[in-house]
Amino acid sequence: MSTNNQVNGEVLVETRNLTKVYLDFWGRKKKEALRALNLQIYRGEVFGLLGPNGSGKTTTIKLLLGLLFPTEGEALVFGRPGTDVAKNERIGYLPEESYLYRFLNAEETLDFYGRLFNLSPEVRKKRAEELIEKVGLSRDKKRPLREYSKGMRQRIGLAQALINDPELVILDEPTSGLDPIGTRWMKDLILELKAQGKTVIMCSHRLDDVQDVCDRIAILYEGELKELGRVDELLEIADLVELRARGVRLTEELKRDLEEVIRRHGGTVESVQHPTTTLEELFLRIVRESQLHPGRRYLPQVERSPMAAPVSAGSAPVESAARS
Amino acid sequence: MLAALVIETPYASLDQLGPALINWLNSAGVCAMLFLLLGEIFRWLWGKGSLVFHGLAGNLGQLSPEEVWKRRSLWLWLTLIGVGLVLALLGTVLGRGAGQGSTAWASVALLGWRLAALAAILAFAWEFILELLVCRARRIWALARLTMLETIRQKALWSFAVLVLLVLVGSWFIQVEPKDQWRTYVDILYRTLAILMVITATVLACFALPNDIRRQTIHTQITKPVRRLEILLGRMLGLIVLLTVMLFIIGNLGFLYVFREVSPMARAATMRARLYQLGELHFEELDNEGNWQRKRTGTDVGDEFVYRSHIRGGAPQEAVWTFYRLPPFLLDKSWQERNKRLTVEFMFDIYRMTRDYEGGGAGGVAVVLRFVNPRLWDAALEADYRREAQELRYKEDWDEILARKYGFYEVPLHIADLRTYSVDFPTAILERLREGGVLQVRVACRSFGQYLGMGPNDLYLVVGEGSLYWNFLKGLVGIWALTVMVTVLGVCFSTYVNALASMLLCWALLFLGLPQVQKFLGELGPETIHRMDVNPGGGPLEAMYRLARGLPMATPLPDNWGIALMQKIDLGYAYLFRAISGIVPDLYQYDRTLHVAEGFSIPGGELLMSLILLVGYLVPYILAGYYLLNAREIAA
């Protein structure tokens, strides 16, 4: 899809030689946060800005949103400069810390941001209800945000970013501070937005998140663009071949046969083994099981056993708690 | 009865609207030209490109069609400034060449200058005006609502509980005579309310935007289709609405409390809302040729309080109040038929030259008040008048008949020092004012050796009674205006500096706006900087020179080019002080405590004028606040 967009060339966001230098009161250079960044982001793709702290990810986003002014170059969104107010009609923005008014509740928050989009009362009410439902805050919609957990604030933050049904969603560290369940929820939502045809720009320093959801990424380091391209292409290791097979046991004979085949094609086998799942997958599975079977708990004596089998649906080392 | 309307400096009235507008145009025009010039210089110095080419707010680098249009409009105004200035220069130079009396060239110069000033204001405010046109009420109200909710839910209004407490228990600690209750309570209530409103408004206004920026909650606003002007206006509106409601509630609670507490004596004396009509005071004195000479002041008795001027008892000297303008209904025949009498109230200062009052057994100074229509009355008619009065004295309406015929009515009485008296006179004297003429009240002192002191507002016609509650609310409008002023100033300052600095700036301006400080600043103006009676010793440089040379303040300085240059520089200082006094508010216009406390209805025209002045004063600050917020990198 992204490739098609690139070919079709509908550029939503573009930076041309974008540079940001922070100056002190006397106009002296304090820090060069971004240096001559050139990017093009296409309609319908999920684009990740990747980099360590201070690499210029958030600065880029703030320049696109008009929160900062470029020192040199241009930051164009929908072909208009970042400082143009009208372009914001089509943008949804989730800041890193979900900086919302903590004295408002979820309904009031969405109503307030709906008013800023000049939405009529009926549309505001309808959208607010839908979004509160979507982000799973229906039961807490009357509580002030100061009572919300970090994850809940991130959810309502995302809801406010979607109140105008934007074409472009900009997410600044969307999974920062979230637990694995929240992280998965956020990633699923980003993929859902992509499925709806929306363009998503996210910046993060959590590499796994970016890998899971992004079509293309840009890697920034100390304000400079170091890498730009499709995630699958960038992550591909061209001189390694991975083989996956189902319905066969890994025996010595199989290993030898595989080595023979690989050798005949001029290569060498580095390792042959059963694959492992990710820790995230494992965690989520346990949470799902716990939700299905609330009484079950972990047996400590099993933990001490080095030979304990991995936790799975069929052979979980859990026991049913006595129910009163 | 004791009530005094001692107003040393008159309040601005609607009659002064024209001159006030011209003054505003001149001051704002000069400021706008200076800002345009300074902006251009700084932009050039910092390499940010020309103001003319990039617009005023600093973020119009990439030009869209609308911005091209904006730039062209700006160019138009800049051209007009140029044309205006050239006209002004030509008018001045050619006018000088043409010599004295060249009014045509002077008019050209004036017209050119005003054109340039207006174009400069438009050039400076152009982006603001265009931005204002595209602002949306729903967004502004959303931000105002947010401000109100924030203030209420963060319990910022608890400070008002202090005032409620003060109002409720205040009378336990205040010892006042029953007759003074209304004026004392009103005075305390208004002043406490004013202080509390100013402090609350300053704190709320100065912290609103900086808190939003510090907590980064403003990021979620800026990234919506919200204009920065909408944020500025929303913040101001929210605070103003909230504080208005609070002022109304607390003011009414205070009114109820005071109303309940006041003694009957105070109700009769000052708990009123007299509709009054002021006249113009001058003095007349008989000269050696037997002609009455008109004078601006009477006899100077050496009193430091210069508000009142004196007339000598037993001397041919009179104080004359002329009522050039009377409310139209007073001249209405049917009204005059319904109301046979009209009241004049007065209060005079008695300056005693002997130990006790003279003037007979009545125990006071003998005074005679004469109500005169000079078109009908002449001193030569006095004998006829007295003879006819003697003949008609048994008729019930003799005074009306004579007042109608001669345009004259006389009341002799004895008065005590600084006590308010009330005298009725027949409205028949007003009847023939329809044909022309004016009403004069001439006051003479008949007690030899005593002096009567009078100020412009010491005598007035009581033309009706207004609503006490309405007058109380009008008094609150003054406090409201003050609240609006500090709210707007606080929000505007906080667009650039932090909350504490904004608060200090607000309070510094308010301090400079106090009447005493204003008077001082006024005396440092170019007209008075070299006047010996106002600024003995001259301006700052001259004063330093005198100190260094050990010259007394009154010693004339040598006449040479060095002294002339020094005095020119002092004159420059004087213009600087004048500019400073232009950016500070005139708080005097908003203090209406005296009217309400003394039982006088606040003239609606004056109140309206004070609000117009407020708008004129605040508009440049709002403009500055908008440009500063627009030029600010919110996330920096």
Side-chain angles (χ1 to χ4, degrees), chain B residues 84-220:
Chain B
L85 286 178
V86 167
L87 276 179
L89 196 68
L90 273 179
T92 311
V93 172
L94 295 176
R96 273 191 191 164
Q100 292 290 322
S102 174
T103 51
W105 285 118
S107 301
V108 169
L110 197 66
L111 186 74
W113 164 249
R114 286 183 186 161
L115 175 72
L118 185 66
I121 293 168
L122 283 171
F124 185 68
W126 193 238
E127 197 171 314
F128 176 86
I129 294 167
L130 294 180
E131 194 78 354
L132 199 61
L133 293 177
V134 291
C135 281
R136 289 284 168 271
R138 184 176 277 158
R139 280 199 283 265
I140 295 174
W141 181 242
L143 290 157
R145 211 168 145 265
L146 178 85
T147 309
M148 287 189 265
L149 277 175
E150 185 175 30
T151 311
I152 293 166
R153 292 190 182 170
Q154 293 182 347
K155 301 180 177 64
L157 298 176
W158 278 83
S159 58
F160 286 100
V162 177
L163 188 78
V164 174
L165 203 68
L166 189 81
V167 168
L168 289 178
V169 302
S171 63
W172 300 352
F173 307 101
I174 303 164
Q175 299 294 320
V176 282
E177 285 187 44
K179 65 178 169 46
D180 288 331
Q181 277 177 338
W182 171 258
R183 68 158 62 86
T184 311
Y185 289 164
V186 166
D187 197 69
I188 291 173
L189 180 70
Y190 271 37
R191 292 192 195 285
T192 315
L193 206 48
I195 292 170
L196 197 76
M197 291 303 292
V198 164
I199 293 175
T200 312
T202 323
V203 173
L204 292 178
C206 293
F207 276 88
L209 267 178
N211 273 349
D212 229 8
I213 293 169
R214 188 175 53 83
R215 293 176 188 150
Q216 303 193 21
T217 39
I218 200 168
H219 291 194
T220 48

Side-chain angles (χ1 to χ4, degrees), chain A residues 133-302:
Chain A
E133 182 69 37
K134 188 185 184 103
V135 299
L137 288 173
S138 298
R139 283 192 307 172
D140 301 296
K141 64 183 179 184
K142 298 284 183 194
R143 286 170 62 198
L145 301 197
R146 65 171 162 266
E147 293 176 7
Y148 277 21
S149 67
K150 164 86 188 184
M152 291 162 86
R153 284 205 299 273
Q154 204 71 340
R155 282 163 189 259
I156 191 64
L158 192 66
Q160 67 81 27
L162 300 177
I163 189 76
N164 57 324
D165 192 17
E167 291 171 47
L168 171 66
V169 184
I170 299 179
L171 309 171
D172 191 356
E173 305 281 0
T175 55
S176 136
L178 293 184
D179 62 17
I181 303 167
T183 304
R184 171 50 66 97
W185 173 83
M186 185 63 82
K187 286 194 286 193
D188 288 346
L189 210 125
I190 292 169
L191 293 173
E192 192 185 322
L193 291 173
K194 174 182 154 66
Q196 288 169 10
K198 298 187 191 303
T199 310
V200 180
I201 301 174
M202 61 178 279
C203 76
S204 179
H205 51 250
R206 289 180 58 168
L207 309 181
D208 50 340
D209 295 346
V210 175
Q211 185 180 352
D212 287 349
V213 296
C214 289
D215 298 317
R216 287 199 307 141
I217 56 166
I219 298 174
L220 298 171
Y221 183 72
E222 291 192 343
E224 283 187 333
L225 181 64
K226 298 293 181 186
E227 190 62 83
L228 173 68
R230 286 189 56 83
V231 176
D232 46 7
E233 288 169 4
L234 290 173
L235 296 183
E236 186 189 78
I237 305 168
D239 59 347
L240 275 181
V241 175
E242 188 180 77
L243 173 74
R244 285 183 180 233
R246 195 178 290 277
V248 62
R249 294 292 302 168
L250 184 61
T251 59
E252 285 303 316
E253 188 187 353
L254 178 60
K255 277 186 183 176
R256 274 196 303 277
D257 289 349
L258 285 172
E259 280 171 5
E260 178 57 34
V261 171
I262 298 294
R263 198 176 300 117
R264 249 190 289 135
H265 285 85
T268 55
V269 174
E270 286 200 346
S271 74
V272 181
Q273 60 190 20
H274 286 292
T276 56
T277 183
T278 63
L279 192 55
E280 184 191 1
E281 282 298 328
L282 172 71
F283 178 84
L284 290 171
R285 198 164 66 229
I286 290 172
V287 171
R288 274 198 297 273
E289 281 171 6
S290 300
Q291 284 166 346
L292 287 171
H293 309 287
R296 285 183 160 189
R297 66 182 175 82
Y298 174 69
L299 289 173
Q301 61 273 30
V302 177

Side-chain angles (χ1 to χ4, degrees), chain A residues 20 62 65-69 73-74 80-81 83 85 88-89 93 95 99-101 103-104 108 111-113 115-121 124 160, chain B residues 59 62 66 136 138-139 142-143 145-146 149-150 153-154 212 215-217 219-226 228 235 630-636:
Chain A
K20 179 66 193 174
K62 285 176 176 172
L65 290 165
L67 291 167
L68 292 173
F69 304 146
E74 290 176 299
R80 304 188 71 109
T83 48
V85 175
N88 293 347
E89 294 275 3
Y93 169 57
Y99 300 112
L100 302 171
Y101 293 95
F103 55 88
L104 298 177
E108 288 169 336
D111 182 69
F112 168 65
Y113 289 107
R115 282 170 193 260
L116 297 188
F117 280 100
N118 211 22
L119 301 178
S120 68
R124 286 202 306 269
Q160 67 81 27
Chain B
N59 55 358
Q62 296 88 356
E66 306 94 75
R136 289 284 168 271
R138 184 176 277 158
R139 280 199 283 265
L143 290 157
R145 211 168 145 265
L146 178 85
L149 277 175
E150 185 175 30
R153 292 190 182 170
Q154 293 182 347
D212 229 8
R215 293 176 188 150
Q216 303 193 21
T217 39
H219 291 194
T220 48
Q221 290 176 23
I222 298 277
T223 52
K224 304 284 182 283
V226 178
R228 296 189 185 200
R235 283 288 176 191
N630 221 12
R632 181 169 181 169
E633 287 188 304
I634 292 294

Side-chain angles (χ1 to χ4, degrees), chain B residues 536-555 557 563 566 570:
Chain B
L541 267 189
E542 188 183 324
M544 277 168 67
Y545 174 78
R546 283 177 185 278
L547 275 174
R549 298 289 304 272
L551 293 173
M553 286 192 290
T555 306
L557 294 176
I563 297 295
M566 187 176 72
D570 276 349

